[in-house]
Amino acid sequence: AGIVKLQVHLAVEGEGDNAVSRADAVEVLSGPDPTLNKIAMKAATEATWQPAYVLDDGNWTPVDSWVRFDIPFQMR
């Protein structure tokens, strides 16, 4: 049990309304166990994300971004 803290770089794939982001780099900032760390990293790399957007000349443009988040694990 514990919390895995990740930092993930999200790269944009596609354009406009069809754009999605996928992880192309993942770093474990802290984690309780190597096995849980690997599970969290795999989940982050298999997920698709909504891209970040910037306003560019009146148009919203999807951009690559960095995110940090926690994945909690609990024992049952």
Side-chain angles (χ1 to χ4, degrees):
I3 296 174
V4 178
K5 295 178 181 281
L6 297 177
Q7 176 171 283
V8 179
H9 182 260
L10 300 174
V12 175
E13 296 179 0
E15 295 181 13
D17 292 338
N18 295 322
V20 296
S21 289
R22 295 186 193 278
D24 67 353
V26 179
E27 179 182 7
V28 175
L29 300 175
S30 65
D33 176 77
T35 301
L36 294 180
N37 297 352
K38 287 180 184 179
I39 292 169
M41 289 176 66
K42 184 176 183 198
T45 57
E46 291 179 351
T48 56
W49 306 74
Q50 181 175 339
Y53 287 83
V54 296
L55 188 57
D56 183 24
D57 290 331
N59 296 311
W60 289 101
T61 304
V63 295
D64 293 355
S65 60
W66 287 92
V67 295
R68 286 186 177 188
F69 60 93
D70 300 342
I71 298 181
F73 289 90
Q74 296 180 357
M75 292 183 62
R76 290 190 180 231

